[in-house]
């Protein structure tokens, strides 16, 4: 399974998948490229360190999201991509790209969806006063943070938590969830039935 990863920043979720592949936890998979919309993304350095092609696609060079995503699609095809991972990728993806990779684009979001969609989900959870939150790994659909849910992990919100301390504890669960889901996908264990994703035994 050939994996392409779209990133914008730090890349801890990318790192988690790289590590899982390198240690043999995920087999029959390789990351063939990491694409960033930000030149300075640390995720690109992580890719380079592990001998993975990193590509910066500059949004300033495209006049519309459609054109930008057409370029992405060209790269994904050229790399013979089977699975696309969004790992801290901050751009919205166009419907044509989603159609081209139906149920083959996966995202991770730092809340228990459908609560707290969009940016700053950890702060939204703190501000709302929920006692538990978590992360959600899901297939990507045109509506933001709304596709079929593959896996969720839950943590308590502590009384002294700030958005930052919560985000830090949540990240540990995110990193675990993402590699587990990628393994399930690569092993052909995910079955999508409408909104419901089942894990084959
Ligand atoms: C994570 O919190 C992820 O849930 C969200 O963006 C953040 C990316 O972190 N979509 P990283 O770049 O993988 O470290």
């Amino acid at each position: 399974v050939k994996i392409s990863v779209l990133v914008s920043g730090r890349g801890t979720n990318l790192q988690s998948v790289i590590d899982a592949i390198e240690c043999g936890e995920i087999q029959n998979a390789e990351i063939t490229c990491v694409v960033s919309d930000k030149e300075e993304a640390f995720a690109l350095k992580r890719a380079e360190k592990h001998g993975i092609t990193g590509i910066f696609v500059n949004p300033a060079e495209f006049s519309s999201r459609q054109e930008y995503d057409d370029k992405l699609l060209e790269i994904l095809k050229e790399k013979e991509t089977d699975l696309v991972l969004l790992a801290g990728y901050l751009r919205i993806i166009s419907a044509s790209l989603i159609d081209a990779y139906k149920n083959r684009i996966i995202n991770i979001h730092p809340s228990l969806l459908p609560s707290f969609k969009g940016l700053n989900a950890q702060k939204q959870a703190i501000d709302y006063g929920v006692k538990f939150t978590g992360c959600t790994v899901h297939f990507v659909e045109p509506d933001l943070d709304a596709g079929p849910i593959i896996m969720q992990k839950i943590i308590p919100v502590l009384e002294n938590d700030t958005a930052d301390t919560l985000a830090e504890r949540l990240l540990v669960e995110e990193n675990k969830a993402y590699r587990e889901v990628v393994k399930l996908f690569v092993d052909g264990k995910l079955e999508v039935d409408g909104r419901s994703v089942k894990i084959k035994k």
Side-chain angles (χ1 to χ4, degrees):
V1 173
K2 292 188 173 144
I3 304 173
S4 291
V5 187
L6 308 188
V7 298
S8 300
R10 174 179 64 171
T12 65
N13 285 300
L14 164 68
Q15 187 70 53
S16 180
V17 176
I18 291 175
D19 293 345
I21 291 172
E22 285 188 353
C23 78
E25 187 182 311
I26 299 174
Q27 293 188 353
N28 305 315
E30 77 177 297
I31 299 178
T32 45
C33 74
V34 171
V35 181
S36 177
D37 65 331
K38 299 254 163 56
E39 195 167 19
E40 69 284 359
F42 189 64
L44 285 176
K45 301 228 162 57
R46 295 180 193 267
E48 193 187 343
K49 191 169 166 215
H50 291 269
I52 299 166
T53 306
I55 305 169
F56 165 52
V57 183
N58 188 353
E61 289 171 12
F62 298 84
S63 58
S64 66
R65 180 157 84 215
Q66 189 60 54
E67 262 186 41
Y68 188 87
D69 282 6
D70 288 348
K71 175 69 190 175
L72 288 189
L73 190 54
E74 192 185 304
I75 295 172
L76 296 177
K77 286 192 173 150
E78 188 188 302
K79 296 288 175 187
E80 300 175 336
T81 306
D82 302 302
L83 169 65
V84 181
L85 299 179
L86 310 187
Y89 182 65
L90 293 175
R91 289 172 68 86
I92 291 175
I93 295 200
S94 58
S96 61
L97 186 52
I98 296 171
D99 276 355
Y101 280 90
K102 181 141 181 62
N103 291 336
R104 291 190 296 151
I105 307 179
I106 294 177
N107 182 43
I108 182 155
H109 183 78
S111 77
L112 294 175
L113 290 173
S115 291
F116 314 131
K117 295 178 179 181
L119 290 175
N120 302 318
Q122 301 94 336
K123 180 170 186 306
Q124 292 184 52
I126 295 273
D127 290 349
Y128 199 92
V130 292
K131 302 297 186 194
F132 290 88
T133 187
C135 61
T136 303
V137 185
H138 64 93
F139 285 112
V140 171
E141 289 200 342
D143 283 344
L144 189 67
D145 297 329
I149 291 173
I150 305 166
M151 183 182 286
Q152 295 185 304
K153 289 197 186 279
I154 299 171
I155 62 167
V157 178
L158 306 179
E159 283 187 359
N160 296 326
D161 263 335
T162 62
D164 286 345
T165 59
L166 183 63
E168 194 183 316
R169 289 209 322 289
L170 198 47
L171 195 60
V172 179
E173 301 307 313
E174 288 188 40
N175 294 167
K176 278 190 225 156
Y178 223 179
R179 63 204 279 165
E180 285 175 23
V181 165
V182 173
K183 179 171 168 55
L184 289 169
F185 184 98
V186 168
D187 291 347
K189 295 268 177 70
L190 297 180
E191 208 171 69
V192 191
D193 177 12
R195 283 214 54 88
S196 150
V197 181
K198 297 196 173 83
I199 296 173
K200 290 188 223 163
K201 292 284 173 267

